[in-house]
Every structure is written in C-alpha cells, then in structure tokens.
Amino acid sequence: MDEQRYGEWIAVRRHGHVAELVLDRPKAMNAISAEMARRIAEATDALAADQGVRAVVVTSTHERAFCVGADLKERNTLTDAELGRQRPVSRAAYTPMPTVAAVRGFALGGGFELALSCDVIVADASAVVGLPEVSVGVIPGGGGTQLLPRRVG
C-alpha cells in the first residue's frame, strides 16, 4: 500500500485502482480548518488528475467521527473578510468526483456536506448525520441545503 500525505491531516492510500482519502485529525474529530480544507482540495485535485485511480473512498481515522464539520474554534477568530476569503478554499474541498464516503460516527455540518458530495454514502450503525449550523448561527456553507434534498428528495 502506497501512502502520500497532504499536510499533517490528510493521507491518500492507494490500493490498486482504488484510492482512500483519509481524514486524519483525530484530536479535533476531523474538524475542517482552513488548512485542512486546502489539503483536502489539493488531494482531490491530485486524485482527479490521476488516470490510475478509478474510485476514491473517503474515510476517517477517528473511531467516533467521520468529520464534525468546520473548525469552530478557528472560525470564531476570523473576521468577516477572512471568512469571505476562505469560502473558495472550502468549496474546492467539496468538488464532486467519483467517490464513496465511508461514514462511521458523527458526520455533521461540513463533514456531512463532504459525504453528500460523494456519489455513494455507506454508513454503519453508529453514523449520526446532520446540518447543525443554524444552532451556532451560521448557514451550511458547503452546499448542504442543496445536496441533501437532491439525495433524499
């Protein structure tokens, strides 16, 4: 198995023609910081350009969470202008491509949006999904309000 790191928190493991994009920020339950979003976008760009990859599976190293969404600790320190500059970076991380999300545990906010941007979601019995942004005063910024109705009607 070949592994390539994209920064500290993203790994891509190759299993023949299948690539595994691994969310690996366990101390924060894979909360997506600006840096992590840049690295996810970098990894997905590289995978999309790789002719040898036929399928991508998005997974997590955390045993209780796929991804809990935006890093709210970081977000609370940003100005409105900084948040505006971060929006294109975050959207690039959710570029749809042929993928499967393997969801175990929490997939909330941006984490659920990341799963929704995949072609297929496989969730185990521990999966808890949702878009709780409204409870913290923000809107689903990764397209959750459009992706969810497209998936479930």
Side-chain angles (χ1 to χ4, degrees), residues 17-76:
H17 293 293
V18 177
E20 179 185 8
L21 190 150
V22 184
L23 307 176
D24 187 23
R25 190 179 180 204
K27 290 181 182 175
M29 296 179 87
N30 293 321
I32 301 173
S33 66
E35 176 64 18
M36 188 170 177
R38 279 191 292 278
R39 298 306 183 171
I40 293 170
E42 183 181 329
T44 57
D45 284 348
L47 289 167
D50 188 334
Q51 298 294 316
V53 175
R54 295 185 184 157
V56 176
V57 179
V58 182
T59 65
S60 164
T61 60
H62 197 285
E63 50 187 63
R64 293 186 305 117
F66 175 74
C67 176
V68 295
D71 184 336
L72 297 179
K73 288 180 183 177
E74 177 188 71
R75 175 174 273 187
N76 290 336

Side-chain angles (χ1 to χ4, degrees), residues 92-117:
Y94 305 111
T95 302
M97 55 188 288
T99 55
V100 175
V103 177
R104 176 182 62 200
F106 297 104
L108 303 173
F112 187 32
E113 291 170 326
L114 181 59
L116 286 168
S117 73

Side-chain angles (χ1 to χ4, degrees), residues 136-150:
V136 294
V138 296
I139 60 169
T145 56
Q146 296 84 38
L147 291 168
L148 184 58
R150 287 180 192 150

